[in-house]
Amino acid sequence: MPRREKREGICFIEDKRERGITFSKRRDGLYKMACDLSVLTGVRVAVVLEMESGIMHSFGTPSAAPIVEAFLSGGPLVEPLADEATNARIRMLQGEVARLDMESVTHEKRAELSLEHIKNIQDENPGIVPNFIFSKEEDLSLEDLNKLFNELLWVREDIRR
């Protein structure tokens, strides 16, 4: 899928479909940043969003409702009915989620680099062999597999010499 050209500045997105996609992606990014802020600093975070359609989205650590209620009432935050051990476990799990999320991003970047590397090898070697090597076994015909086998035998003999 071709990449969209970058936008110059921020402006209202007229296309409803594009606006919905952007909302979902930006909302997820906002929730991730709120979770990271909570994990790193130990603060309670609540984010409330209302779409054009009136649909409400909320995120909170550990829950948005008590934080929002305390904010609206102007009173102190009422602790949820969780003991300190449960709160510690929640913080530990939030940290684990943040760590796994970072690992996921790292793995995605590595996979992207690997695909670029494979494409570079295929471009540098326009022959059949690189395309066979990086193909799935079930995508190759018997003839293709025989050609690959013969090419690999030739490479092995060449290395022995």
Side-chain angles (χ1 to χ4, degrees):
M1 178 171 164
R3 295 192 91 155
R4 289 178 6 142
E5 57 187 65
K6 282 199 163 193
R7 289 195 180 114
E8 298 282 330
I10 296 194
C11 60
F12 183 75
I13 301 171
E14 298 294 333
D15 185 296
K16 190 173 184 175
R17 182 178 166 276
E18 286 291 321
R19 193 168 50 245
I21 292 169
T22 300
F23 173 80
S24 295
K25 289 181 179 180
R26 295 280 179 121
R27 178 194 60 208
D28 293 345
L30 179 63
Y31 288 173
K32 182 188 178 321
M33 294 299 278
C35 181
D36 290 350
L37 179 64
S38 176
V39 168
L40 293 172
T41 62
V43 299
R44 293 184 178 103
V45 179
V47 178
V48 178
L49 305 170
E50 180 184 11
M51 294 180 65
E52 290 175 311
S53 62
I55 296 173
M56 301 292 283
H57 297 269
S58 66
F59 171 83
T61 58
S63 173
I67 300 169
V68 171
E69 287 175 21
F71 176 78
L72 293 176
S73 70
L77 180 64
V78 177
E79 288 291 325
L81 300 175
D83 59 0
E84 188 55 39
T86 303
N87 288 335
R89 177 93 171 124
I90 288 170
R91 285 191 297 276
M92 190 270 306
L93 290 172
Q94 287 173 335
E96 182 70 9
V97 166
R99 184 187 66 77
L100 291 172
D101 191 43
M102 290 303 294
E103 279 184 20
S104 172
V105 169
T106 302
H107 288 302
E108 287 172 6
K109 286 181 181 177
R110 283 184 184 159
E112 189 175 305
L113 289 174
S114 293
L115 287 175
E116 286 178 28
H117 185 69
I118 289 170
K119 288 178 184 176
N120 287 340
I121 290 173
Q122 288 175 329
D123 291 342
E124 292 170 4
N125 303 288
I128 302 169
V129 177
N131 294 325
F132 287 159
I133 291 173
F134 297 117
S135 297
K136 293 181 181 176
E137 185 179 337
E138 58 269 11
D139 293 341
L140 298 174
S141 68
L142 182 59
E143 182 182 337
D144 294 337
L145 289 170
N146 283 329
K147 285 180 185 177
L148 178 60
F149 179 72
N150 291 330
E151 289 287 333
L152 290 173
L153 287 176
W154 182 82
V155 168
R156 186 177 77 178
E157 288 300 317
D158 195 36
I159 292 172
R160 283 185 182 167
R161 282 186 240 136

